[in-house]
Amino acid sequence: LKNYYGHKNVALSVPCILDSSGVSEVIKVPLDRSERKKLDKSVKTIKKYISTNLATNFLNPLSKVSKNI
């Protein structure tokens, strides 16, 4: 996403309109304060998980494999 309630550089499932060339419009659903806080928490969790696991797997791609051997 480029800017969805202030969030960017994260992959989220959000409603959108698709056409033959891909996403033509992202639909910004109105969120109340509680929903916005939950979205913010989800984005934070996703980014933390990706940065932690991507760094681990990139630097040592066999780290999970070697634990199972």
Side-chain angles (χ1 to χ4, degrees), residues 4 6 10 12 15 18 36 40 47 50 53-55:
Y4 194 79
V10 65
L12 299 174
L18 301 174
R36 178 69 189 270
D40 295 345
K47 284 185 172 185
I50 290 172
N53 289 289
L54 185 60

Side-chain angles (χ1 to χ4, degrees), residues 5 7 31-45:
Y5 284 101
H7 298 290
L31 301 176
D32 64 26
R33 178 178 280 178
S34 172
E35 293 167 326
R36 178 69 189 270
K37 285 183 178 182
K38 290 174 185 176
L39 174 66
D40 295 345
K41 183 178 178 183
S42 293
V43 168
K44 184 178 178 181
T45 301

